[in-house]
Amino acid sequence: MRLLAARFGLRIRLISAFLLVAAISAVTTATLTYREARSAILQQAQDTAVAQFRDRITAQAVSLPVDAPRLRTMCQTLAREGKPHTWIVFAEYADLRVSSSDRSVSNVITPELRDAARNTAHASFQRVVKDGKPWLTIGMPVMFDQGEGRQPTGLVLYAVMPLLPEEANVSAMVTAARDGALPALLIALVPALLAARSVLRPVRDLRRAAAGIGRGELDTRIEVKGSDELADLAWTLNESSSKLQQSVEELRQAEERARRFASDVSHEMRTPLAGMLAVTEVLDEDAAHLNADTAAAVRLISAETGKLATLVEDLMEISRFDAKAADLHPDEVDVAETIRKTLQSRRWEDRVATELPEGVRAVLDPRRFDVIVANLVGNALRHGAEPVSVRLWTERRDGRDRLVTEVADSGPGIDAAVLPHIFDRFYKADAARTRSAGSGLGLAITQENVRLHGGTVHAANVPSGGAVFTVELPREGV
């Protein structure tokens, strides 16, 4: 489900990114187009109106002085000839203020435009917005010719033209751009889906290949198509998979050779060791009649021969685990009685305190459970300190009854750096717990036997001092 969600998440991100780019492009294009079109429309209306107003004023024959009726007639004539729309014309001459219309829009003319019209000999214009409406205002002085050039007459004419039609055209363009954006995005969705599909297909192939390699299917390969970055990635994954397969095969062969070597050596050593053990038993019996140095040497040889025999047996046991040849022969047993037999057979009953409730029965392999308890108790006696205790109880967890066996000692405990490696083969801890008295494989064999039962074993330190090993096995068997 997580991979499925990630795939759809990537698809959504790709499509969203594609649509976002398309939307930004559309908005940017529409904005630039709007600005240019608006400027062109207003500029054209402005240029037309200014040119027309200038031409009409130039064509007027004005004789001064002029009275109000004549000024009104002149303003009305100019207003009728306004292009591209009808103008409202104002005239200012001395104290006279005349308009071509009864409509009062003289407040649209700004003081800045009046100053410009009085102080310049050519037309001045300004676009203003008054009460939310756009206007174009034009101011132009009436000039007369003299020998020294054109001189102002003191008469100034203003034209005020509404720009509502132009703004309507601009608004229509904005509406068209807005209404066309959604269909454009819907159309852009099609190439977005196609692009996402073309990207996600090789990604899905890569995911399937990576999952196959993770499951150990090292012969997984991807068909390389094209020459883009994803094709390079697929080629790299194929190369990595090939080299990994080759390396794993070499490691398997080396591991197989090592297991076979340990097993063969162990088997070959059993026969001479059997003879050596027989000889050392005879020598042990006669050691009391030998001189002190010879007796010490005999006992040393006997002890070391026994350790070598234990090491060979442990190596053979480990070899069986490595070869997956270790079998489990489960049987329903009285667990407390089985633990007591383990302690009695090794003469540890006087050195180990027990808390073994009666009537606890479980399905397990008696021989392998005997090895588990013996290795843990022996490890506690060798590397910890007495008293050593063995506790047994049952508990229910995750809907299953579990058998819990705890072996604790009163020694210095286990160093924190050693705990993660305590079950490693031949691992050497500090001087307090070197495990040199044993084969170095006891705890590793214990862990393998626990795993074979479907259980767990872990080591820890108790706050009061000492190490504690806890074994949890399913009570009903594997």
Side-chain angles (χ1 to χ4, degrees):
M1 291 297 295
R2 184 177 63 182
L3 292 175
L4 186 63
R7 184 181 71 181
F8 281 108
L10 180 58
R11 181 191 296 274
I12 291 174
R13 288 197 296 271
L14 286 172
I15 295 175
S16 299
F18 195 95
L19 293 180
L20 179 61
V21 172
I24 292 175
S25 300
V27 170
T28 303
T29 302
T31 302
L32 295 176
T33 303
Y34 163 74
R35 290 179 57 187
E36 293 299 324
R38 183 176 185 275
S39 177
I41 291 173
L42 296 179
Q43 187 69 37
Q44 182 180 3
Q46 172 184 293
D47 293 345
T48 301
V50 172
Q52 288 288 330
F53 193 56
R54 184 191 304 114
D55 294 343
R56 291 295 177 264
I57 291 177
T58 304
Q60 290 290 328
V62 181
S63 58
L64 297 177
V66 64
D67 55 13
R70 288 181 56 195
L71 278 179
R72 178 177 294 276
T73 302
M74 180 187 301
C75 290
Q76 290 174 347
T77 301
L78 291 173
R80 286 193 299 270
E81 297 175 351
K83 291 183 180 181
H85 310 299
T86 302
W87 300 330
I88 300 176
V89 180
F90 297 90
E92 295 182 357
Y93 178 69
D95 295 332
L96 294 177
R97 300 290 184 269
V98 180
S99 172
S100 64
S101 172
D102 295 335
R103 185 178 178 186
S104 178
V105 292
S106 59
N107 58 350
V108 176
I109 303 173
T110 63
E112 293 81 7
L113 181 64
R114 282 190 166 91
D115 292 340
R118 292 192 183 102
N119 298 322
T120 58
H122 52 77
S124 301
F125 58 88
Q126 188 178 32
R127 286 202 298 265
V128 297
V129 176
K130 193 69 174 180
D131 298 331
K133 297 179 181 180
W135 300 85
L136 173 63
T137 57
I138 308 170
M140 187 171 180
V142 177
M143 310 295 289
F144 65 91
D145 294 328
Q146 281 188 342
E148 298 177 357
R150 294 175 61 81
Q151 297 295 325
T153 62
L155 174 61
V156 181
L157 297 175
Y158 299 95
V160 177
M161 181 181 76
L163 294 177
L164 290 176
E166 286 74 14
E167 288 293 336
N169 292 336
V170 173
S171 299
M173 293 179 58
V174 173
T175 303
R178 182 191 61 199
D179 295 342
L182 183 59
L185 289 178
L186 292 177
I187 294 173
L189 182 61
V190 176
L193 290 172
L194 295 177
R197 182 181 180 185
S198 64
V199 172
L200 289 177
R201 184 186 297 112
V203 171
R204 287 195 296 268
D205 294 340
L206 288 169
R207 178 183 60 80
R208 284 194 292 266
I213 294 174
R215 292 192 299 269
E217 301 169 1
L218 300 182
D219 57 344
T220 302
R221 299 293 183 272
I222 303 174
E223 182 180 358
V224 179
K225 297 179 180 179
S227 58
D228 55 8
E229 290 80 359
L230 289 174
D232 292 340
L233 180 59
W235 183 85
T236 302
L237 183 64
N238 289 340
E239 287 293 309
S240 301
S241 179
S242 299
K243 292 180 179 179
L244 180 62
Q245 185 180 19
Q246 182 180 357
S247 299
V248 169
E249 186 61 30
E250 292 175 355
L251 288 173
R252 285 174 179 170
Q253 293 176 0
E255 184 181 7
E256 181 63 28
R257 289 194 297 268
R259 283 201 301 264
R260 192 181 304 114
F261 174 79
S263 179
D264 293 344
V265 169
S266 301
H267 278 287
E268 292 298 326
M269 291 180 66
R270 293 187 74 182
T271 300
L273 274 174
M276 292 172 64
L277 287 172
V279 172
T280 55
E281 289 178 2
V282 175
L283 292 176
D284 281 339
E285 293 176 357
D286 296 335
H289 305 292
L290 301 175
N291 61 61
D293 293 338
T294 304
V298 166
R299 292 189 180 95
L300 177 61
I301 292 174
S302 177
E304 295 301 322
T305 302
K307 292 179 183 178
L308 182 58
T310 301
L311 174 60
V312 169
E313 291 297 330
D314 288 346
L315 284 173
M316 292 184 64
E317 185 72 4
I318 284 291
S319 298
R320 283 191 287 270
F321 282 119
D322 290 342
K324 308 298 181 184
D327 296 326
L328 196 67
H329 301 284
D331 191 13
E332 184 177 350
V333 299
D334 187 317
V335 182
E337 183 63 25
T338 302
I339 294 176
R340 277 192 288 266
K341 288 181 180 179
T342 298
L343 300 178
Q344 291 170 1
S345 65
R346 293 164 177 82
R347 299 178 182 178
W348 289 338
E349 62 269 26
D350 296 332
R351 302 175 62 187
V352 178
T354 60
E355 294 182 21
L356 307 175
E358 299 295 336
V360 177
R361 303 187 66 82
V363 177
L364 46 80
D365 187 324
R367 183 184 72 84
R368 296 192 180 280
F369 186 70
D370 173 79
V371 172
I372 292 172
V373 175
N375 283 350
L376 293 179
V377 174
N379 182 77
L381 292 172
R382 283 194 301 270
H383 305 301
E386 299 184 29
V388 173
S389 63
V390 179
R391 296 177 58 228
L392 174 69
W393 72 89
T394 60
E395 60 184 40
R396 188 169 183 82
R397 189 184 312 130
D398 300 330
R400 297 189 66 183
D401 290 330
R402 305 188 73 81
L403 180 72
V404 183
T405 307
E406 180 185 273
V407 178
D409 63 57
S410 304
I414 306 172
D415 189 87
V418 176
L419 276 174
H421 309 284
I422 196 68
F423 294 102
D424 293 352
R425 301 174 186 181
F426 299 109
Y427 181 78
K428 297 296 181 181
D430 59 12
R433 300 183 70 92
T434 60
R435 300 192 297 170
S436 58
S439 66
L441 294 171
L443 291 180
I445 292 174
T446 297
Q447 186 180 53
E448 294 294 342
N449 278 309
V450 171
R451 287 176 177 172
L452 199 62
H453 280 86
T456 60
V457 57
H458 65 272
N461 292 314
V462 295
S464 59
V468 58
F469 289 82
T470 307
V471 177
E472 294 186 9
L473 303 177
R475 192 173 178 181
E476 300 85 1
V478 181

